[in-house]
Amino acid sequence: MNERILRVLEYTKIKEQLLGHVSSSLGKEKINKLVPWTTIEDVKHQQNSTDEGVQVLRLKGHVPLGGIRDIRSSIKRSEIGGILNPEELVDISTTIYGGRRFKRFIEGLLEDEIDLPILANFTGQIVPLTDLEQEINLCIDDNGAVLDSASSTLKTIRQQLRSFESRIREKLESIIRSSKSQKMLSDTIVTIRNDRYVIPVKQEYRSSFGGMIHDQSASGATLFIEPQSVVTINNQLKEAKNKEYQEIQRILRQLTERVAEDADILLHNVEVLAEIDFIFAKARYSHSIKATKPLINDNQYVKLKKARHPLIPAEEVVPIDVELGGDYNSLVITGPNTGGKTVTLKTIGLIAIMAQSGIQIPAEEESEVTVFESIFADIGDEQSIEQSLSTFSSHMTNIVQILDQINFKSLVLFDELGAGTDPTEGAALAISILDYVYERGSRIIATTHYSELKAYAYNRDGVMNASVEFDVETLRPTYRLLIGVPGRSNAFEISRRIGLGEKVIEDAKSHISEDNNKIDLMIASLEDAQKQAELERVNAASINEEAKQLKKDLEDRLQEYEQTKNKLYTEAEQVAQNAIEKARKEADEIIKELRQYQKEHGTVKEHKLIEAQKRLEDADPMLTSKSKSSLERKKPITQNLKPGEEVKVLSVNQKGHIIDKVNEKEYQVQIGIMKMNVNEDDLQPVKAEKKAPTKPVIRVHGSTITKTELDLRGERYENAMRAVDKFLDESLLAGYPQVSVIHGKGTGALRKGVQSLLKEHPNVKSTRMGAAGEGGSGVTIVVLK
């Protein structure tokens, strides 16, 4: 992108705002070098990275990027043999820690299954270098001081230093406390001159202490003397300090060599951290201007919804809707001065550049931008004083350069095209320039005062008129952009508002051609129609929002209803299941007793069957009043039941066959191995049930069973297990020697559960998988005892 274009569109101010959101000098450097990308792959990648940063800030509110420093110069010095000072080593340590902490932060988000592919890739490249960080921290504290623990030698030397300093202070303090010495001293303090401990002595007593003079006061009345009694210890102290310095240099050299060993890794970490800081600077800036991620295309199509100029305060900016590259490639904006035409032009150009820089744009969701190879602009008064060019000449010089460089992937912005010269010639030149740019396939937005360009937009395919609205009531622009409506000068209305006589205005109108008057009336009509359409659109949007809210409320209520209903069903099912379980256990016990009785006596006596029937009736779960009344309403018709006819005993929910009629109200029925007398009201002919075209089926707790089959396909696991248990009991009572359980193939979980239950069931003799004609592995054949 041309540097002048970036300056004209105020891109540098956007970068200045971005700089307020960086966490380190690394991010600052990235922003200073930032220029728009010109390939769709790069732009999409940058926009996606910014969006990931926005997502992290939305979820966490912050990002731990503190402590990161630009340590590249220190690393390079370590590679060429220089010795790093403690402050440089501390910066390296904090940068390692900052990278490690950020890596752990992102890994935590990834563990929560948050999709951050770009940040995950960056953090995956960060090498923690924990050993180097710990080595530096063991030797140097946060303030850059080398610690005693850095080496045993340094610790010994510093113990000696403290000992020498203590002895010197003791000797000097004994001197200044002496009553004999106090009159010779200017002040009773111990101080330091030239790294040696001294006392302030009056000039006339210089010979009383001996030793060395290191300094004197400005007046010469006080001498700072090192008494002879501490000279030797001071010499020892100085020698220890030299040893301390040498040991510290050795420690720093050793740490520097460690840094040099990991130089390549450190440099790569720094590059990664610079990218990360850049991403989150863009993300924070996006939050500050309430920006959104635009859709990116490569077909030169732009559609901005409620776009705002990012440099205008939020309480002042007026959003605009703009489309370019769909039904039309050129937009001609007309309207009065100070109406906002230039701001509109800059808004569109600046948003295009921001999007191509990976910065989210100040517009509504689903706004769409394209990737331009180049953006050109001729905006404002840029006449060259040095070249003594007029305004018109300056603009034409710039336009000539633009026309030489444009192509079908260019965006061209013209402000007041053709202005600064004769209106007729200027308008003709403007039309010619617009035609030339249009033929080259570029996207164009131009502002103008010329009426001829309003007609131009009407007469050319691919060109659209637009205007900035002006309120003649308040004599102020509204800054709203009206697509499809050319602008009016509003000169007569404005003049009337500020008091110009009606006669003068009418006389002025008489000088305007009839065609121009018709055009003004047409434009006024279009403006009114557009305003009305906008009001209706806003009203429709409001109604739509209310409908959406109503729909949401209804959905919430429906969901609440479903939850309550499911809860009640679950509770009722549990109560029923408990009752059924109790009845099943009782039935199992009765069958067990009957089998035992049959085993001991050979046949089951009548009184035993009657007793068993009574116990079964007592074990039957109590029905609710609703269920009972429903059963009573469906009383079976049992007239003329004949021996051998298949019937259902309702009280025990079992099928059997009529043996004989005992009396007018009772029949003898055989159910499996049992014979019992049953009242006709408790019998229902099987033939009365509604038959399906295939073999008869009934539903048992959600599972479909036939006479000798149980179909579990589609059932939940728990329901299926209960259905199998009940089916086996019923089959046993019916006297079936063999039954089939259809569980399907699926994932195999249901089949395994069924086979496990069958294996432990006391009434199952053996099981096998179905043969090819029986359903294969989707069916288990059960042989009953």
Side-chain angles (χ1 to χ4, degrees):
M1 293 285 177
N2 186 290
E3 181 64 32
R4 188 187 65 81
I5 301 301
L6 299 179
R7 185 181 69 255
V8 168
L9 294 176
E10 300 179 289
Y11 180 64
T12 52
K13 292 184 180 179
I14 297 296
K15 290 169 65 172
E16 287 172 7
Q17 291 186 343
L18 264 177
L19 289 172
H21 299 278
V22 296
S23 299
S24 69
S25 59
L26 296 171
K28 183 177 180 180
E29 182 182 355
K30 293 285 293 183
I31 291 170
N32 286 332
K33 293 180 179 179
L34 178 62
V35 292
W37 279 268
T38 56
T39 65
I40 191 168
E41 293 79 12
D42 287 334
V43 173
K44 283 185 174 181
H45 175 79
Q46 292 297 324
Q47 283 290 343
N48 289 338
S49 67
T50 304
D51 194 55
E52 286 187 18
V54 169
Q55 185 180 358
V56 171
L57 290 178
R58 184 172 62 251
L59 292 171
K60 294 297 183 179
H62 74 287
V63 180
L65 286 173
I68 296 172
R69 305 284 186 272
D70 186 359
I71 56 175
R72 288 172 294 186
S73 60
S74 299
I75 296 170
K76 290 176 181 176
R77 281 208 305 114
S78 74
E79 289 184 294
I80 62 175
I83 298 178
L84 302 182
N85 61 46
E87 289 76 15
E88 290 176 302
L89 290 166
V90 169
D91 285 347
I92 291 172
S93 171
T94 60
T95 301
I96 295 172
Y97 171 73
R100 180 164 56 84
R101 182 174 58 172
F102 179 80
K103 182 183 180 75
R104 189 168 61 245
F105 174 79
I106 295 297
E107 286 174 347
L109 292 174
L110 296 175
E111 288 174 2
D112 294 336
E113 297 185 355
I114 298 171
D115 189 27
L116 303 169
I118 296 173
L119 288 173
N121 178 51
F122 278 133
T123 53
Q125 298 178 47
I126 297 175
V127 181
L129 294 178
T130 309
D131 291 344
L132 176 58
E133 178 192 350
Q134 290 177 348
E135 286 182 40
I136 294 173
N137 292 342
L138 286 173
C139 296
I140 304 171
D141 66 15
D142 293 340
N143 298 317
V146 179
L147 299 168
D148 293 359
S149 57
S151 74
S152 57
T153 302
L154 182 62
K155 185 175 182 180
T156 301
I157 293 171
R158 285 186 171 168
Q159 288 174 344
Q160 292 175 351
L161 283 172
R162 286 189 284 272
S163 175
F164 290 145
E165 287 174 347
S166 176
R167 287 168 58 191
I168 291 170
R169 283 187 174 277
E170 286 177 4
K171 285 184 177 293
L172 294 179
E173 285 174 357
S174 67
I175 291 174
I176 63 177
R177 284 197 301 268
S178 168
S179 56
K180 178 181 176 182
S181 302
Q182 284 183 356
K183 65 178 181 179
M184 304 178 190
L185 302 176
S186 299
D187 198 356
T188 56
I189 60 170
V190 176
T191 185
I192 295 175
R193 291 292 187 276
N194 299 328
D195 289 333
R196 298 178 78 91
Y197 286 93
V198 296
I199 55 176
V201 180
K202 295 177 181 177
Q203 170 71 27
E204 58 269 28
Y205 298 109
R206 61 182 298 178
S207 59
S208 301
F209 294 92
M212 300 173 59
I213 299 172
H214 288 281
D215 199 4
Q216 66 179 12
S217 64
S219 63
T222 299
L223 301 176
F224 294 94
I225 296 176
E226 178 186 2
Q228 187 62 44
S229 60
V230 297
V231 169
T232 301
I233 305 176
N234 257 333
N235 288 339
Q236 292 173 328
L237 176 63
K238 187 170 184 179
E239 183 180 353
K241 285 185 176 179
N242 286 334
K243 290 181 180 178
E244 178 192 35
Y245 173 78
Q246 295 299 325
E247 180 61 15
I248 288 174
Q249 289 301 108
R250 186 193 69 78
I251 292 168
L252 295 179
R253 184 181 297 105
Q254 182 177 328
L255 291 174
T256 301
E257 290 171 356
R258 280 287 292 111
V259 170
E261 290 175 9
D262 293 324
D264 291 340
I265 297 175
L266 285 168
L267 288 172
H268 184 69
N269 281 357
V270 168
E271 291 299 321
V272 171
L273 291 171
E275 286 290 342
I276 290 169
D277 192 10
F278 174 55
I279 287 172
F280 283 99
K282 292 186 294 180
R284 294 189 192 96
Y285 179 64
S286 175
H287 177 73
S288 70
I289 64 172
K290 296 181 174 59
T292 62
K293 178 186 176 183
L295 303 175
I296 308 295
N297 68 70
D298 198 25
N299 52 14
Q300 285 63 64
Y301 175 69
V302 176
K303 185 175 184 179
L304 302 180
K305 300 179 179 180
K306 304 298 180 187
R308 312 178 305 277
H309 195 292
L311 301 177
I312 299 176
E315 63 275 9
E316 298 177 14
V317 69
V318 177
I320 60 172
D321 294 322
V322 182
E323 186 173 357
L324 190 66
D327 295 334
Y328 49 89
N329 295 340
S330 298
L331 192 64
V332 178
I333 306 174
T334 51
N337 285 332
T338 70
K341 298 194 303 297
T342 303
V343 171
T344 297
L345 213 61
K346 287 187 174 182
T347 299
I348 297 166
L350 186 55
I351 283 179
I353 291 175
M354 289 173 65
Q356 290 184 218
S357 301
I359 304 169
Q360 294 191 343
I361 63 174
E364 285 190 352
E365 295 281 355
E366 296 185 357
S367 290
E368 194 164 353
V369 297
T370 190
V371 179
F372 293 110
E373 285 185 357
S374 53
I375 297 176
F376 300 98
D378 180 63
I379 299 175
D381 186 4
E382 299 180 47
Q383 66 177 347
S384 171
I385 298 174
E386 293 80 6
Q387 297 179 23
S388 301
L389 296 175
S390 68
T391 301
F392 177 75
S393 299
S394 175
H395 282 303
M396 288 310 301
T397 300
N398 188 29
I399 290 170
V400 168
Q401 294 174 353
I402 291 172
L403 298 183
D404 286 340
Q405 301 175 62
I406 59 174
N407 60 28
F408 73 99
K409 285 194 173 184
S410 300
L411 172 64
V412 184
L413 308 173
F414 290 128
D415 190 27
E416 299 299 346
L417 183 59
T421 187
D422 176 77
T424 303
E425 293 180 355
L429 199 55
I431 291 172
S432 179
I433 291 170
L434 289 175
D435 278 342
Y436 179 83
V437 176
Y438 182 84
E439 289 169 1
R440 297 290 296 271
S442 301
R443 302 297 180 260
I444 319 159
I445 303 176
T447 68
T448 182
H449 276 106
Y450 296 136
S451 298
E452 289 85 349
L453 267 69
K454 301 175 188 178
Y456 166 82
Y458 276 115
N459 296 330
R460 296 290 199 284
D461 290 335
V463 183
M464 178 62 70
N465 266 315
S467 62
V468 284
E469 190 179 49
F470 188 87
D471 189 343
V472 294
E473 298 294 328
T474 62
L475 302 182
R476 292 178 180 275
T478 66
Y479 302 106
R480 291 177 62 244
L481 184 65
L482 305 177
I483 302 294
V485 180
R488 293 188 294 157
S489 66
N490 297 304
F492 295 146
E493 287 81 357
I494 293 171
S495 300
R496 182 180 289 111
R497 284 283 171 185
I498 60 179
L500 187 62
E502 191 66 31
K503 183 178 179 182
V504 177
I505 293 173
E506 290 300 322
D507 185 57
K509 286 183 177 181
S510 68
H511 296 291
I512 302 296
S513 69
E514 185 177 347
D515 287 344
N516 283 340
N517 281 326
K518 287 181 179 179
I519 290 173
D520 278 348
L521 289 172
M522 179 190 70
I523 293 173
S525 177
L526 283 172
E527 287 181 350
D528 292 340
Q530 179 115 350
K531 288 179 183 177
Q532 184 62 32
E534 180 65 17
L535 287 173
E536 291 177 358
R537 187 194 68 78
V538 171
N539 187 44
S542 176
I543 293 172
N544 187 43
E545 282 301 316
E546 290 177 8
K548 285 182 180 177
Q549 186 60 43
L550 180 60
K551 180 174 179 284
K552 183 178 181 301
D553 291 343
L554 289 173
E555 287 176 346
D556 291 343
R557 290 184 184 181
L558 180 61
Q559 184 177 6
E560 184 179 349
Y561 164 76
E562 289 293 337
Q563 289 174 347
T564 304
K565 184 182 75 172
N566 291 338
K567 181 181 177 183
L568 292 174
Y569 277 163
T570 302
E571 292 174 355
E573 188 179 58
Q574 186 61 47
V575 171
Q577 183 60 36
N578 292 340
I580 291 169
E581 185 66 23
K582 181 180 177 182
R584 187 188 66 78
K585 289 180 180 178
E586 184 66 23
D588 286 345
E589 187 64 29
I590 293 169
I591 292 170
K592 184 178 178 183
E593 289 179 11
L594 288 173
R595 284 183 176 278
Q596 184 63 31
Y597 187 87
Q598 184 183 35
K599 184 177 180 182
E600 293 175 357
H601 299 87
T603 59
V604 182
K605 303 252 177 172
E606 182 70 20
H607 73 279
K608 278 289 180 183
L609 289 173
I610 294 171
E611 182 184 343
Q613 180 183 7
K614 180 70 170 63
R615 290 175 62 188
L616 283 170
E617 289 173 353
D618 293 340
D620 187 27
M622 293 297 294
L623 298 171
T624 63
S625 59
K626 182 177 180 181
S627 298
K628 286 181 178 179
S629 62
S630 175
L631 184 61
E632 288 167 1
R633 286 196 301 270
K634 295 182 181 179
K635 226 175 187 181
I637 301 171
T638 58
Q639 293 92 338
N640 301 321
L641 292 174
K642 298 175 181 179
E645 187 172 345
E646 188 175 8
V647 293
K648 181 177 181 181
V649 182
L650 298 176
S651 60
V652 295
N653 195 27
Q654 297 295 325
K655 293 179 182 178
H657 295 84
I658 298 293
I659 298 175
D660 197 3
K661 189 170 183 177
V662 179
N663 53 49
E664 291 186 0
K665 292 291 184 181
E666 286 186 329
Y667 289 85
Q668 188 178 40
V669 181
Q670 180 163 355
I671 302 174
I673 62 172
M674 295 189 300
K675 294 179 182 179
M676 62 178 67
N677 293 342
V678 183
N679 191 292
E680 68 173 357
D681 292 340
D682 197 21
L683 294 175
Q684 178 179 332
V686 172
K687 65 182 179 181
E689 295 181 1
K690 189 174 180 179
K691 302 281 184 174
T694 57
K695 51 189 172 181
V697 244
I698 60 172
R699 298 292 297 178
V700 178
H701 295 289
S703 298
T704 304
I705 68 167
T706 69
K707 291 179 181 178
T708 59
E709 288 183 358
L710 172 65
D711 192 345
L712 299 173
R713 288 173 294 183
E715 287 298 320
R716 293 174 56 190
Y717 183 85
E718 294 79 4
N719 292 342
M721 296 302 103
R722 289 196 294 267
V724 171
D725 204 13
K726 189 174 189 309
F727 174 66
L728 293 176
D729 290 343
E730 293 170 345
S731 299
L732 189 65
L733 287 172
Y736 298 147
Q738 175 178 297
V739 291
S740 302
V741 179
I742 305 171
H743 42 64
K745 299 177 182 179
T747 61
L750 188 57
R751 181 179 68 240
K752 290 179 182 177
V754 168
Q755 292 178 347
S756 176
L757 186 149
L758 294 173
K759 183 178 180 181
E760 298 176 359
H761 199 283
N763 296 326
V764 175
K765 183 177 182 180
S766 64
T767 64
R768 64 177 176 82
M769 299 305 296
E774 295 174 317
S777 60
V779 176
T780 297
I781 307 301
V782 185
V783 179
L784 300 174
K785 291 181 179 178

